[in-house]
């Protein structure tokens, strides 16, 4: 699952063609809805940025292309005209290089502002106070682990960093927001931001809780548990002893 850090890496990868007028093609028939190529071809690409789990590509004329990669999507940057196998969803061809989107399951062209996302956990200076405020504006019976994945509240945290950040601060994903303090919420957000920033900068870190169900907790030795959480039933991982 591409998480916020993977999206930031993709945004960085595409920077060399920002500022160029691009030739646009949609080789995959599934990407032809909405005539993306016709509407974007020849426009200047003004910016590429990761916002939460979306890559937003802004073109002159007020067009914003939203690319969400889900499990499978991938952006590459290759020399212009490089040979390829298969049909990518989208090709943005600059003067020397071209950006290619493979298996991009969500690709939408907007002409107005994108639906509001929460503050980005990977911003240069993450707005932790605003994130805590958003979490407090929610139904307080909601479990903290579920709320952390809500992109309207905090943009960018995925299932892995949710599990790792909650483990790092010793907070159960099942604790209702009402039973958390602002300091605890701030600490878990700070942990997620720090871990994700580290991953973006290439630091490797072994999972402590994520995908370790049935194995001993590295802190206390109790066995890590897992269970589906929230409307999307994404699996939560936690230590029942030290994440009280
Ligand atoms: Zn433990």
């Amino acid at each position: 699952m591409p998480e916020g850090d993977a999206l930031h890496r993709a945004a960085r990868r595409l920077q060399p063609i920002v500022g160029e007028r691009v030739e646009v093609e949609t080789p995959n028939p599934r990407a032809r809805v909405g005539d993306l190529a016709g509407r974007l071809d020849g426009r200047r690409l003004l910016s590429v940025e990761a916002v939460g789990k979306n890559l937003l590509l802004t073109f002159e004329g007020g067009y914003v292309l939203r690319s969400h990669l889900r499990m499978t999507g991938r952006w590459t940057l290759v020399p212009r005209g490089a040979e390829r196998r298969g049909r990518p969803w989208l090709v943005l061809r600059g003067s020397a290089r071209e950006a290619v989107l493979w298996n991009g399951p969500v690709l939408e062209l907007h002409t107005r502002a994108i639906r509001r996302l929460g503050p980005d956990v990977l911003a240069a200076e993450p707005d932790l106070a605003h994130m805590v405020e958003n979490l407090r504006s929610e139904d307080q019976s909601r479990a903290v682990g579920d709320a952390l994945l809500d992109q309207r509240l905090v943009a960018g945290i995925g299932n892995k960093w949710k599990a790792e950040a909650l483990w790092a601060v010793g907070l159960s994903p099942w604790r209702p927001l009402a039973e958390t303090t602002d300091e605890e919420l701030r600490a878990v957000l700070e942990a997620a931001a720090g871990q994700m920033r580290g991953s973006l900068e290439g630091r490797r870190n072994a999972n402590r809780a994520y995908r370790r169900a049935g194995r001993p907790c590295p802190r206390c030795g109790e066995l890590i548990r897992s269970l589906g959480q929230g409307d999307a039933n994404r699996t939560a991982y936690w230590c029942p002893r030290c994440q009280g």
Side-chain angles (χ1 to χ4, degrees):
M1 175 73 162
E3 302 225 15
D5 50 334
L7 270 293
H8 277 255
R9 274 194 285 269
R12 278 191 196 169
R13 201 175 300 139
L14 299 193
Q15 293 309 310
I17 60 163
V18 169
E20 293 202 48
R21 280 187 198 289
V22 289
E23 296 162 25
V24 180
E25 280 173 25
T26 48
N28 189 313
R30 289 175 63 201
R32 284 184 195 144
V33 241
D35 189 22
L36 286 182
R39 291 159 81 187
L40 295 178
D41 189 54
R43 291 185 189 273
R44 196 179 295 281
L45 176 63
L46 299 179
S47 68
V48 178
E49 52 184 337
V51 178
K53 294 187 194 176
N54 297 281
L55 205 62
L56 301 183
L57 297 93
T58 304
F59 294 82
E60 65 183 349
Y63 288 93
V64 178
L65 187 65
R66 178 172 85 92
S67 162
H68 189 302
L69 301 175
R70 294 258 170 88
M71 310 287 276
T72 54
R74 195 163 63 92
W75 277 99
T76 61
L77 188 73
V78 297
R80 179 185 164 105
E83 201 179 326
R84 59 173 180 256
R85 281 159 181 266
R87 292 179 171 183
W89 277 57
L90 187 67
V91 179
L92 305 175
R93 185 166 299 131
S95 56
R97 276 167 286 215
E98 58 194 38
V100 183
L101 172 63
W102 294 95
N103 303 317
V106 179
L107 201 53
E108 293 172 359
L109 189 59
H110 297 256
T111 48
R112 276 177 292 161
I114 304 275
R115 186 178 74 101
R116 194 90 190 105
L117 291 164
D120 189 346
V121 72
L122 274 171
E125 288 178 30
D127 191 348
L128 301 178
H130 187 184
M131 295 176 203
V132 172
E133 203 173 286
N134 285 355
L135 290 165
R136 287 293 178 226
S137 71
E138 270 296 289
D139 174 359
Q140 296 296 290
S141 66
R142 200 169 176 193
V144 61
D146 181 33
L148 286 175
L149 294 183
D150 188 332
Q151 303 296 305
R152 295 174 304 119
L153 307 176
V154 181
I157 300 181
N159 213 31
K160 169 180 167 153
W161 297 116
K162 158 194 149 176
E164 293 297 303
L166 286 166
W167 183 88
V169 301
L171 192 61
S172 167
W174 302 97
R175 179 106 59 96
L177 287 170
E179 294 171 26
T180 60
T181 64
D182 286 0
E183 290 67 35
E184 285 171 325
L185 292 179
R186 207 182 157 88
V188 74
L189 292 164
E190 214 157 26
Q195 291 168 339
M196 292 175 68
R197 171 67 51 191
S199 161
L200 182 62
E201 288 165 359
R203 195 196 319 143
R204 315 265 313 166
N205 78 317
N207 292 344
R208 310 299 176 91
Y210 180 67
R211 291 190 172 162
R212 295 192 73 250
R215 297 169 63 190
C217 168
R219 189 163 45 211
C220 75
E222 184 71 41
L223 301 185
I224 298 288
R225 288 170 66 176
S226 67
L227 192 63
Q229 181 170 48
D231 291 341
N233 204 36
R234 314 263 325 263
T235 306
Y237 300 87
W238 79 104
C239 171
R241 188 188 289 163
C242 68
Q243 288 178 258

